[in-house]
Amino acid sequence: MPSYTAPVKDMQFLLHEVLNVTTSGTPGYDELERDFTAAVLEEAGKVSRDVLAPLNAVGDVQGCRLENGVVTTPDGFKEAFALMKDGGWTALDCDPEYGGQGMPYVLATAVGEMFVSANMAFNMYQGLTHGAYSAIHAHGTDAQKQTYLPKMVTCEWTGTMNLTEPHCGTDLGLMRTKAEPQDDGTYKITGQKIFISAGDHDMADNVIHLVLAKIPGGPEGIKGVSLFIVPKVMVKDDGSLGARNAVSVGKIEEKMGIHGNATCVMNYDGATGTLIGEAHKGMRAMFTMMNEARIGVGLQGYAQAEAAYQNAVIYAKDRLQGRAVTGPENPTGPADPLIVHPDIRRNLMDQKSFVEGARAFVFWGASLIDRVHRADDKAADGLISLMTPVIKGFLTDKGFETAISAQQVYGGHGYIEEWGMSQFARDARIAMIYEGANGVQALDLVGRKLAQDGGKHVMAFFDMVKTYIKENEDHEELNRHFLTPLKSASKDLQAAGMYFMQNGVKNPNNALSGSYDFMHMMGHVCLGLMWARMAKASFDALANGTADAEFYTTKIATGKYYTARQLPATAMHLTRIQTGADTVMALDAASF
């Protein structure tokens, strides 16, 4: 069975030496002292290692069951969920007014990574709840907040998001679910939603569904969509539970992965719902949840890669196969361990350099979200809006690729279920699809985010990279190994943006045909910037004297690998983009 150890040291390095949280000026960050964050992360690591990770394979094998309208989760899930609730882990960054602990989002992100690495399917139950909590917190009335949020903070009640229908996914303007107004101000919700993660289960007393539906007579298409709170069990005026609402589970989907999470078909048969936010403005409210979820899914991509990588390293050190070409390194044994071979090293370095760069990227993104919520920082808001499709799309693409690479280290054993590597790959695969398939993320980035506010935010990003390079170019080794490759990659990215400006207006397909490559280019530049920041922190630590020189020298060597072997991919992506749409669109549909 695979194992998992939380990377607490690396997380502490990011929080305190790269992001410098206590001196960053973000309100509330001064409380994130090193000893405090260490205590939280170490305890979360124990829960991940001892409680959640052992249940990962159980959930994969057993899955969820639907019998007589009741959804049952795998053995051990219910007890583990109770432990999570009792430990306050579901409430870390939630509003204290509703029972939350009020900690910064960046710390909750670090804890969330551990839980996802240990058991992605399990963590989705509380993850979806947090998203629903955020939507109600941002857009609900005071009465709605008081009714639902305290129980959702503790996960006594969990939450979902209901968007997709059998005939429409991304194009939500095609939805057919109806919301008929009632005399008492409520609505009767009728329709079917599919692919609803954590749609029902036996671990909470109630499930609070956020459902997109159309009020008859409203505008056509997406402009006519509204959002409704539809509880599984009705809530009385005194907060106690009443009658069962007219919502039921039609089936549980049989999926490639995340078997431990109940992905449901939800049937609404005149269910009672209440409007959240304004009528016909449902997407505005739902996007509060979706944007949070997209960053969370990006985290899932690299968190699964982290778990797979850890186990691949263990296997590579233990498995004896062949001899090192430079001479035996295990002369008393029948063969050398796999890790002596250069191609295995390449594989593991690909994995390690991606995972650590991705973690830095997401932690930085989480710090931007804290700037938005705690300091009303408009620049941070624009920057994280720009980065969201990159975090989701690039990190899940590369996260799946990394999980596959980790599986490859095992050779034939990686294809055998008992080793557990298959589950990491299968679970990681969904992250490329849900919360907006990655092609849609690329279209969002190029079609919307680049031009947002007149291109202000992408230009701010370019300036950020340029300024960082200029401020640190006197550091010879940093400049040679990190800043020079970053400068080259950033120029490639800017050249791609210029190509879109010059050719995309005349023929939009020229831009959209290159959108996926652009998303990956931007992802590489972001990780290149993260590696430059981590390298500088490491050089500084070594220069100042440290008792853990090995950690910092390893960090620098890993970063050098990324900037030498991965970052140059921007040149390839630029070449593809500059070929335009002609080769992409050359065939008629009938020719495929």
Side-chain angles (χ1 to χ4, degrees), residues 26 367-384:
T26 299
S367 74
L368 292 176
I369 292 173
D370 278 329
R371 290 290 306 170
V372 174
H373 292 161
R374 292 169 173 264
D376 195 27
D377 189 327
K378 302 302 183 185
D381 193 20
L383 197 52
I384 192 58

Side-chain angles (χ1 to χ4, degrees), residues 198-209:
D200 201 4
H201 54 88
D202 58 351
M203 301 188 298
D205 297 328
N206 204 358
V207 181
I208 310 304
H209 301 289

Side-chain angles (χ1 to χ4, degrees), residues 79-321:
E79 293 77 12
F81 203 65
L83 183 147
M84 297 289 282
K85 291 187 284 189
D86 293 342
W89 295 111
T90 65
L92 280 182
D93 64 324
C94 295
D95 190 339
E97 183 175 349
Y98 304 104
Q101 298 180 39
M103 294 186 190
Y105 182 70
V106 70
L107 185 60
T109 296
V111 171
E113 179 197 320
M114 297 179 186
F115 294 161
V116 172
S117 288
N119 196 324
M120 176 172 157
F122 176 91
N123 191 67
M124 289 171 64
Y125 291 99
Q126 66 189 53
L128 270 295
T129 304
H130 191 286
Y133 153 88
S134 296
I136 296 173
H137 189 273
H139 301 283
T141 64
D142 289 341
Q144 288 171 333
K145 294 176 186 179
Q146 292 296 335
T147 297
Y148 298 107
L149 294 189
K151 297 288 189 182
M152 295 177 75
V153 165
T154 60
C155 274
E156 292 172 75
W157 299 350
T158 60
T160 71
M161 55 192 296
N162 285 236
L163 293 81
T164 306
E165 299 183 10
H167 58 283
C168 71
T170 300
D171 191 354
L172 292 171
L174 298 176
M175 71 173 55
R176 297 170 184 160
T177 300
K178 293 288 189 283
E180 296 280 355
Q182 304 298 300
D183 292 340
D184 63 358
T186 64
Y187 293 77
K188 291 297 183 185
I189 312 298
T190 302
Q192 185 180 77
K193 299 290 184 176
I194 64 171
F195 305 157
I196 308 307
S197 299
D200 201 4
H201 54 88
D202 58 351
M203 301 188 298
D205 297 328
N206 204 358
V207 181
I208 310 304
H209 301 289
L210 296 190
V211 184
L212 288 177
K214 289 185 174 180
I215 301 171
E220 292 296 319
I222 199 68
K223 294 182 179 179
V225 172
S226 302
L227 184 64
F228 300 88
I229 300 175
V230 187
K232 171 184 172 180
V233 182
M234 298 302 297
V235 182
K236 298 179 181 178
D237 292 341
D238 63 1
S240 63
L241 295 180
R244 177 70 184 259
N245 206 354
V247 53
S248 61
V249 179
K251 65 176 289 192
I252 296 177
E253 302 287 1
E254 295 184 17
K255 310 185 296 295
M256 177 180 175
I258 54 170
H259 297 153
N261 194 270
T263 304
C264 300
V265 173
M266 303 300 303
N267 295 323
Y268 295 88
D269 300 305
T272 299
T274 55
L275 182 69
I276 177 170
E278 298 179 49
H280 317 307
K281 303 290 185 182
M283 291 307 298
R284 179 185 302 171
M286 184 60 89
F287 262 108
T288 297
M289 187 173 185
M290 288 175 66
N291 285 331
E292 176 181 316
R294 285 173 175 173
I295 294 170
V297 171
L299 182 150
Q300 287 180 338
Y302 84 82
Q304 286 298 285
E306 165 71 31
Y309 163 72
Q310 286 188 18
N311 287 278
V313 170
I314 293 170
Y315 188 82
K317 290 180 178 180
D318 290 344
R319 176 73 166 174
L320 302 181
Q321 291 285 283

